[in-house]
Amino acid sequence: MAAQDAAGSGGSGAGPLPGRCAFFVQRKRRFCKMVPAPGRRFCGEHGQQEVPRPRREGRGCLGAQVLHGRTSSDAAVSYRTKMTGKEFHALLIQNNFSTVYEDQLQKHLKKCNSREKPKPVYFVQDINAGVKDVAEIPENQVTISSLSKEELENLISKLKKASNGLELGLKEQVLSHQALQEALNDPKNGDSAFKHLKQQASILGNMEKLHLLGPGRCFVEFGAGRGKLSHWVDVALQDFENTQFLLVERATTRFKVDGKHKKRDSIFERLQVDIQHLCLNKVPILEKKKLPVVGIGKHLCGAATDLALRCLVERYATCCNEENEEPAPKRPKNKAEGSSNSSSDDDNESNKDFKPVAGIVIALCCHHKCDWTHYVGREFFKSVGLGPVEFHYFQRMSSWATCGMQEIITKASTNEESEDHTNNTEEHDQTYSKTETGSDALQGLLTVEERKEIGSLCKLLIDHGRIKYLQHRGYKAALQYYTDSSVSLENVLLTAVPETTT
């Protein structure tokens, strides 16, 4: 025990303060001052140090005792044989070393929150993951701050060469939508809420411009969080029927706005799954109706954007197109059945016009969290002479685009947390570590303005690879600024609609 070791280490001979945690913090050379729960010696942070003791005689207590091998009962043995030692240890850690009496084990296993839950039908392991080529990716990547001046200059030279010919000045498409006007004009909304509303209004405005707001579609919000973007899309479509919403989020989310739509005709369904394992074709509502899908997202973080694009374009669209290309069954030549033949011809024509993915509208975010394994623009990078090593550095250098605004971001995030704590999961503007920005190491090499310019080029290059990926698969894709940088530093919107065939 850490508290017992403290006495021999010359730390604090007097022991912990009365009513305070008994954990000795070696780094501070004193006992923790947090207040533990009644009947406990350790606070919640150091609760794993607590060794539970059985309260009833004659009953073995599973938990920490089984972990340390202090019981050999049949129940404990059978319990451990169902999982590996690592899994069992993780189970105890997750439950803060909670215990269960042996005669209550089977009952507990039926309701234990740490048990492995059955996978949903739309879960397919790594279906949207990229191909990991071990030979391409070096094991030990050197940090940017460890690069020599010559190596850094070489990287920047490659970046500028690859960026030649790219449209550096993106078009501004700062739009709005009538559905949010009342909320935008409501003085009760603070600065944080107003910031999110302006972004959501512009996203809806861009969707309307692309004719993506309409009935008979399924809107799939990736990284949905509380589901605010889907909520406003539903408000915009309140006069229409037959509208479906799928909200994809891997984590459980509090304060969801789904409950506001229970009395409406719109159908909202949450899919708690990582985008990497989501097979849209197996979602029951899409498997049954085969609706055209509109993929949307507000600040879809890093590699999640690439996973979402592959989920839509490579998996759902391809699978639907293959089903539409299946040969029609043979029809009899009876004249009486001429009318039915003509109706089936009409059905075939409608199948040809069916677009599985009607459009994609995603606000991009967190390029420093991209991953070469999942990145959809790898072919574009290779075509301009770049590979995984350059990608690793470029995705890290992309954080330089905001390095001149770190103090502003820190102050803004502090104010937002105090105003609206529930918005934390919806906005990814943030400060970056010195390892990522390399500000100290680069102080004498690059100015703040130069770093910001290089960071913006890295973002643009990564996003251009995504554009090329969509264009290669028959989509008219574009990048534009959808809001002002004073509202959000991550203010680029990726849009894509199927190319019209003549």
Side-chain angles (χ1 to χ4, degrees):
M1 299 293 290
Q4 295 171 345
D5 295 340
S9 63
S12 177
L17 295 172
R20 300 303 173 102
C21 179
F23 181 82
F24 185 79
V25 185
Q26 291 287 353
R27 183 172 60 85
K28 297 183 178 180
R29 307 295 295 168
R30 64 167 174 79
F31 285 91
C32 174
K33 296 181 180 180
M34 297 289 288
V35 179
R40 299 278 185 177
R41 295 182 62 235
F42 297 92
C43 66
E45 181 68 23
H46 305 117
Q48 67 271 20
Q49 304 295 325
E50 197 96 40
V51 177
R53 287 172 291 184
R55 298 179 185 175
R56 312 178 205 178
E57 295 181 4
R59 283 180 163 186
C61 185
L62 281 169
Q65 294 186 37
V66 178
L67 177 64
H68 296 294
R70 289 198 287 265
T71 178
S72 58
S73 65
D74 293 338
V77 172
S78 64
Y79 189 33
R80 295 204 64 174
T81 55
K82 293 179 180 178
M83 59 180 74
T84 65
K86 184 177 180 181
E87 289 171 340
F88 185 72
H89 182 265
L91 175 65
L92 297 180
I93 291 293
Q94 290 170 6
N95 285 278
N96 198 18
F97 279 17
S98 62
T99 60
V100 55
Y101 292 100
E102 293 178 22
D103 58 352
Q104 296 179 353
L105 175 61
Q106 295 304 321
K107 180 180 178 181
H108 172 76
L109 289 176
K110 294 178 181 178
K111 61 182 180 181
C112 179
N113 289 329
S114 297
R115 72 189 187 281
E116 185 178 358
K117 298 177 177 61
K119 297 290 189 296
V121 292
Y122 46 79
F123 180 97
V124 178
Q125 185 73 36
D126 294 329
I127 186 172
N128 301 316
V131 179
K132 186 173 183 179
D133 192 341
V134 180
E136 283 187 332
I137 305 174
E139 290 185 4
N140 299 319
Q141 296 280 8
V142 180
T143 61
I144 295 175
S145 57
S146 302
L147 294 175
S148 66
K149 180 179 178 180
E150 291 73 19
E151 290 173 324
L152 183 61
E153 289 176 345
N154 184 40
L155 269 177
I156 295 173
S157 176
K158 287 183 178 181
L159 173 66
K160 292 182 176 180
K161 182 180 178 181
S163 302
N164 283 337
L166 299 186
E167 188 179 348
L168 302 182
L170 301 183
K171 185 179 179 181
E172 287 196 5
Q173 291 275 38
V174 183
L175 305 177
S176 189
H177 196 277
Q178 188 64 33
L180 288 93
Q181 289 309 304
E182 184 178 348
L184 287 168
N185 296 326
D186 189 352
K188 294 180 181 179
N189 289 320
D191 293 338
S192 176
F194 185 70
K195 178 184 70 171
H196 292 293
L197 288 169
K198 288 191 71 173
Q199 295 175 68
Q200 290 155 351
S202 185
I203 292 174
L204 261 67
N206 279 277
M207 291 175 67
E208 186 174 47
K209 186 175 181 180
L210 294 171
H211 308 291
L212 296 178
L213 292 178
R217 292 173 180 172
C218 180
F219 294 88
V220 183
E221 183 179 358
F222 294 94
R226 296 172 60 198
K228 281 290 191 72
L229 185 56
S230 293
H231 162 72
W232 289 117
V233 172
D234 183 58
V235 172
L237 298 174
Q238 58 184 348
D239 296 331
F240 297 100
E241 297 179 354
N242 191 23
T243 307
Q244 324 281 339
F245 291 89
L246 296 177
L247 284 68
V248 183
E249 178 59 61
R250 65 181 178 183
T252 51
T253 310
R254 300 177 65 195
F255 309 111
K256 297 184 285 287
V257 296
D258 309 28
K260 296 182 179 181
H261 309 280
K262 290 182 178 178
K263 296 181 181 179
R264 297 278 300 278
D265 294 331
S266 303
I267 298 176
F268 278 74
E269 182 179 350
R270 277 193 172 263
L271 309 179
Q272 189 176 342
V273 63
D274 194 309
I275 304 172
Q276 183 172 334
H277 313 301
L278 171 62
C279 180
L280 282 178
N281 303 82
K282 294 189 176 182
V283 176
I285 194 169
L286 292 178
E287 192 175 28
K288 181 180 179 181
K289 295 186 178 181
K290 292 298 178 188
L291 296 170
V293 161
V294 178
I296 59 177
K298 176 174 173 283
H299 294 295
L300 194 56
C301 197
T305 296
D306 300 297
L307 295 170
L309 293 178
R310 190 176 284 111
C311 175
L312 292 166
V313 176
E314 284 191 37
R315 302 293 180 256
Y316 184 70
T318 304
C319 194
C320 289
N321 288 333
E322 288 176 355
E323 290 180 6
N324 291 337
E325 290 174 2
E326 290 181 0
K330 292 184 178 181
R331 295 169 297 183
K333 297 182 179 180
N334 296 343
K335 294 182 180 180
E337 296 183 358
S339 58
S340 62
N341 292 345
S342 62
S343 63
S344 61
D345 290 338
D346 293 338
D347 291 339
N348 290 336
E349 288 298 323
S350 63
N351 286 337
K352 291 179 181 178
D353 295 335
F354 173 72
K355 302 293 184 182
V357 179
I360 301 170
V361 180
I362 295 175
L364 305 173
C365 177
C366 300
H367 294 72
H368 64 283
K369 292 188 176 180
C370 291
D371 189 323
W372 176 258
T373 300
H374 304 309
Y375 181 53
V376 295
R378 297 203 295 190
E379 292 302 319
F380 164 72
F381 257 64
K382 292 176 181 178
S383 69
V384 293
L386 302 175
V389 176
E390 290 81 10
F391 181 85
H392 166 77
Y393 290 118
F394 290 166
Q395 55 109 344
R396 285 294 173 191
M397 290 159 65
S398 68
S399 63
W400 293 357
T402 56
C403 68
M405 305 181 186
Q406 290 183 30
E407 293 183 4
I408 299 175
I409 303 171
T410 305
K411 291 177 182 178
S413 61
T414 304
N415 293 334
E416 286 166 20
E417 286 179 8
S418 61
E419 288 180 13
D420 186 359
H421 182 70
T422 61
N423 280 335
N424 289 348
T425 58
E426 298 185 21
E427 184 66 86
H428 296 186
D429 288 348
Q430 56 191 318
T431 55
Y432 301 96
S433 66
K434 289 183 178 180
T435 304
E436 291 171 350
T437 62
S439 56
D440 291 345
L442 301 169
Q443 194 67 39
L445 301 177
L446 299 169
T447 66
V448 170
E449 289 301 321
E450 287 173 335
R451 291 203 299 272
K452 286 169 61 178
E453 181 184 352
I454 291 169
S456 299
L457 272 181
C458 292
K459 283 176 173 284
L460 181 64
L461 194 67
I462 292 172
D463 290 338
H464 194 74
R466 292 163 170 167
I467 294 295
K468 287 292 185 182
Y469 167 82
L470 290 167
Q471 290 175 344
H472 180 69
R473 281 159 178 78
Y475 290 83
K476 184 180 180 181
L479 298 169
Q480 52 263 312
Y481 293 120
Y482 77 102
T483 192
D484 190 75
S485 58
S486 62
V487 176
S488 175
L489 298 173
E490 301 283 9
N491 60 342
V492 175
L493 188 71
L494 183 150
T495 60
V497 292
E499 289 276 10
T500 56
T501 55
T502 56

